[in-house]
Amino acid sequence: EPFEPGAERLGNLVEKNKIFRDLLLVPEVIASAKEVIKSDIKLSHYGFRNPLKGHGHQQYHIDVVPRKKISDPYEGIICTIFLDDANKQNGVTRLIPKSHKKIGWPDDHIDPTVLHKDEISADCQAGSILVINLNTWHAGAKNLNGNSRKAIFIQIKRRDKPQLLNFKKYLKKETIENLNSELKYFLAVREIDPTQKEMSVGPGAEYRKKFGT
């Protein structure tokens, strides 16, 4: 998809191939989501990204609208499954530890375009799984050597929050019918599940409204 210049992107992996559905219910990932969210959960987004040589650098951001006060519950997690080794040469994920505890946007605390002194690089071998809170300040790094750095992203949110991708509207009827009961629940595509009005709900619009970007 031409969503991000300089990166190969593919969305809605549920629809692309049956093999992708086997990755959605990894017990350790589901357990991590429940531990962070502490409520019923559902799939919010399922996609693929591969930054190309000379591209992939991002400024620090979060993948959710921020909490307004400490007592607000966390909304979700993002799970990254690395299909290739990821390191500083081909576009590693950059993280700022404990930043998920901060209130507000990263921009309220730091210059998101400048390297932070507490940043760590999530160097990972192919097959590794990285799970972070949606409120964690993070960013992609530039792919310097052009080696493939393919990764699959699984975003899981509180069940009472809108999905980044409205699976009930985006999935074909045949696809939904072929899902097992666990996946139908997880994707919130059963007839008894409320139908989300929006096709997509994410923090992008809020970023643009607040910062004019």
Side-chain angles (χ1 to χ4, degrees), residues 154-203:
I154 302 173
Q155 187 186 100
I156 302 174
K157 295 174 70 175
R158 291 174 56 92
R159 199 164 183 85
D160 59 355
K161 296 296 183 179
Q163 294 168 313
L164 180 58
L165 184 69
N166 186 339
F167 289 103
K168 203 169 189 180
K169 290 189 176 182
Y170 267 103
L171 293 182
K172 298 176 182 176
K173 182 179 180 181
E174 178 184 358
T175 301
I176 294 177
E177 291 175 348
N178 287 329
L179 297 176
N180 62 34
S181 59
E182 289 83 4
L183 285 175
K184 287 179 180 178
Y185 173 83
F186 189 44
L187 273 68
V189 295
R190 305 171 302 172
E191 289 187 8
I192 63 173
D193 291 313
T195 299
Q196 180 177 311
K197 294 181 180 179
E198 304 88 350
M199 296 300 284
S200 178
V201 177

Side-chain angles (χ1 to χ4, degrees), residues 36-186:
V36 170
I37 298 170
K38 300 187 185 304
S39 181
D40 292 335
I41 62 176
K42 67 181 176 184
L43 183 66
S44 176
H45 169 67
Y46 191 26
F48 164 95
R49 179 176 183 265
N50 182 34
L52 304 178
K53 185 176 182 179
H55 299 275
H57 177 80
Q58 299 173 327
Q59 67 180 39
Y60 297 120
H61 62 279
I62 56 178
D63 289 337
V64 68
V65 175
R67 298 185 302 155
K68 295 182 179 180
K69 55 184 183 298
I70 292 293
S71 59
D72 287 343
Y74 290 115
E75 192 166 311
I77 65 162
I78 182 73
C79 163
T80 306
I81 301 175
F82 292 93
L83 304 183
D84 297 304
D85 293 345
N87 51 60
K88 292 182 180 180
Q89 294 304 308
N90 70 344
V92 72
T93 301
R94 303 150 49 214
L95 307 167
I96 301 179
K98 300 182 180 180
S99 55
H100 65 287
K101 298 181 181 181
K102 300 288 188 180
I103 300 302
W105 301 93
D107 310 61
D108 297 330
H109 303 271
I110 62 171
D111 181 345
T113 66
V114 177
L115 181 67
H116 194 276
K117 62 181 179 62
D118 296 329
E119 177 188 285
I120 62 173
S121 297
D123 291 39
C124 293
Q125 294 182 333
S128 299
I129 296 178
L130 172 69
V131 178
I132 65 172
N133 193 306
L134 286 181
N135 290 84
T136 301
W137 303 352
H138 66 284
K142 182 185 291 186
N143 185 336
L144 299 175
N145 61 15
N147 289 347
S148 179
R149 204 237 65 181
K150 300 184 295 294
I152 287 174
F153 296 91
I154 302 173
Q155 187 186 100
I156 302 174
K157 295 174 70 175
R158 291 174 56 92
R159 199 164 183 85
D160 59 355
K161 296 296 183 179
Q163 294 168 313
L164 180 58
L165 184 69
N166 186 339
F167 289 103
K168 203 169 189 180
K169 290 189 176 182
Y170 267 103
L171 293 182
K172 298 176 182 176
K173 182 179 180 181
E174 178 184 358
T175 301
I176 294 177
E177 291 175 348
N178 287 329
L179 297 176
N180 62 34
S181 59
E182 289 83 4
L183 285 175
K184 287 179 180 178
Y185 173 83
F186 189 44

Side-chain angles (χ1 to χ4, degrees), residues 8-24:
E8 296 173 333
R9 301 283 293 235
L10 188 64
N12 193 9
L13 296 185
V14 178
E15 193 75 81
K16 300 303 185 290
N17 193 296
K18 292 181 180 179
I19 195 171
F20 290 120
R21 301 171 197 173
D22 294 335
L23 292 174
L24 286 176

